[in-house]
Amino acid sequence: MLIISVVILVSLFVMFYFFKTSKEMPKNWYEWKTELRFQYIGAIGIIHDLIYASRDKVVLCTQPDRIAVITGGNRGIGLKIIEKLLACEMTVIMGCRDPKAGEKAVSQLVDLSTTKGKFICESLDVGELSSVMSFAKLVKNKYKKIDILINNAGIMFAPLQKTSEGFESHFAVNYLGHFFLTHLLMPQLKAAGSEGKNARVVNVSSVVNLIGRINYNDINGDKYYYPATAYNQSKLAQILATRHLNQMLREQNAHVEVFAVHPGVVDTDLFEYSATTAVPFLKKLIFKTPERGSRTIVYAAIDPRLEGKGGSYLSNGGKSPFHPDAKDSQKCAKLFKFSCDLLKITEYGNDII
Ligand SMILES: NC(=O)c1ccc[n+]([C@@H]2O[C@H](COP(=O)([O-])OP(=O)(O)OC[C@H]3O[C@@H](n4cnc5c(N)ncnc54)[C@H](OP(=O)(O)O)[C@@H]3O)[C@@H](O)[C@H]2O)c1
């Protein structure tokens, strides 16, 4: 049954590549193989979402003294995360590229004049390190403690594009910008956490980490670029960094824990460059809604039962298997050091700005 469902789904997607979408066709065997592996792992993700639907929930509770920072959030899953955090009466600081539009989007969902939560929207392009720096400075000046950092913003299958610092856009937006932001906000996270009530960092990764590979010889896709390869690499990088950072913080006896989450396969604009745009009815039928997609992320951010379980990768309200490299502390440390070197960080979480 499972195999038949997977085969049907994969065949459907492949058919639509040919007939229905403007998505660029894979040009060679490597690209086809990458594409098929992506669709296969996506289908497994959908089946996981169906099987564990009843486990996929979060209990909201009021926490008016807590402060949460989230990247993205003006649409998609992030918008629903913000709705939940405001329902918990938290102060929520959203970093997004167009703060006016972001505020409008949130105000259409939550009555900001009556909510007991507090909402603040600031400018942030997470792919630009200078913007990450300005955003972090602003947040640090206003708030001495931050309880929750949700690294949510992301792009998928974007055509080759470099940031002004020369990084490939998936690597920069999904991974490196968030790695830098976490570093800059670490003193505030450490200040907020306490014994039995750790501050939390939640990295919104993806099930495709399982088919990712960190290509140290061509991290920015200069020699060969394929969008799915770049996306998978960035999502694996998030997992490896989650594992290393959590271990590092544990050794420092810091009261901060780091989680990675796969939100499920969710019907959002993330699929803009994907073949699934050709089958909107199928997306509506079998993908999660953004509301469901937000549940495990908020669960990772607030559920007291996760105290002491930092370093976990969660999906559908429970632990999930991740890429074998994430179990290898040397491989996690290698990426962590590589990232610090790229950003010229000498002591992660401690450099002064
Ligand atoms: N949807 C899924 O099935 C799925 C599955 C696995 C993982 N995820 C992950 O879940 C996260 C949220 O995705 P989503 O499905 O909600 O996608 P989405 O609807 O496309 O939302 C993406 C969000 O990221 C923001 N963003 C993109 N580039 C940015 C940048 N340079 N600076 C600041 N913000 C930026 C977008 O803001 P703008 O409006 O400014 O572009 C938007 O708020 C992503 O990390 C994604 O990889 C999603």
Side-chain angles (χ1 to χ4, degrees), residues 71-78 95-98 124-128 151-156 173-174 204-207 231 235 238 261-271 287 297:
T71 65
N74 49 303
R75 57 192 170 88
I77 300 168
C96 69
R97 287 191 279 195
D98 183 346
L124 169 66
D125 182 337
V126 80
E128 294 295 331
N151 291 320
N152 161 73
I155 53 169
M156 183 171 84
V173 175
N174 297 353
V204 183
S205 179
S206 166
V207 65
Y231 183 69
K235 291 292 158 183
Q238 287 183 292
V261 172
H262 165 61
V265 181
V266 186
D267 184 11
T268 66
D269 297 341
L270 191 76
F271 292 86
F287 285 18
I297 298 168

Side-chain angles (χ1 to χ4, degrees), residues 252-326:
Q252 292 172 1
N253 289 320
H255 293 303
V256 184
E257 294 196 282
V258 194
F259 294 86
V261 172
H262 165 61
V265 181
V266 186
D267 184 11
T268 66
D269 297 341
L270 191 76
F271 292 86
E272 179 188 1
Y273 297 109
S274 143
T276 58
T277 49
V279 282
F281 67 94
L282 205 61
K283 278 174 74 190
K284 288 265 169 295
L285 197 68
I286 58 176
F287 285 18
K288 281 186 183 182
T289 60
E291 189 285 313
R292 279 193 59 204
S294 70
R295 290 183 197 174
T296 302
I297 298 168
V298 178
Y299 166 72
I302 68 168
D303 197 295
R305 289 168 299 180
L306 290 175
E307 282 297 321
K309 295 189 177 144
S312 306
Y313 164 65
L314 306 166
S315 169
N316 287 313
K319 278 194 184 184
S320 219
F322 44 56
H323 194 291
D325 285 3

Side-chain angles (χ1 to χ4, degrees), residues 123-173:
S123 174
L124 169 66
D125 182 337
V126 80
E128 294 295 331
L129 299 177
S130 54
S131 173
V132 175
M133 177 72 93
S134 309
F135 174 75
K137 269 189 183 163
L138 203 139
V139 173
K140 286 159 87 84
N141 284 340
K142 268 195 193 160
Y143 302 96
K144 298 297 158 223
K145 294 181 179 186
I146 293 161
D147 299 275
I148 295 163
L149 168 61
I150 302 181
N151 291 320
N152 161 73
I155 53 169
M156 183 171 84
F157 295 176
L160 180 60
Q161 209 181 335
K162 297 281 176 72
T163 65
S164 59
E165 283 100 357
F167 296 112
E168 185 282 317
S169 62
H170 291 88
F171 186 69
V173 175

Side-chain angles (χ1 to χ4, degrees), residues 167-192:
F167 296 112
E168 185 282 317
S169 62
H170 291 88
F171 186 69
V173 175
N174 297 353
Y175 172 63
L176 200 63
H178 286 126
F179 181 89
F180 191 44
L181 180 63
T182 308
H183 157 67
L184 297 174
L185 296 184
M186 191 52 73
Q188 281 62 32
L189 288 157
K190 284 182 176 171

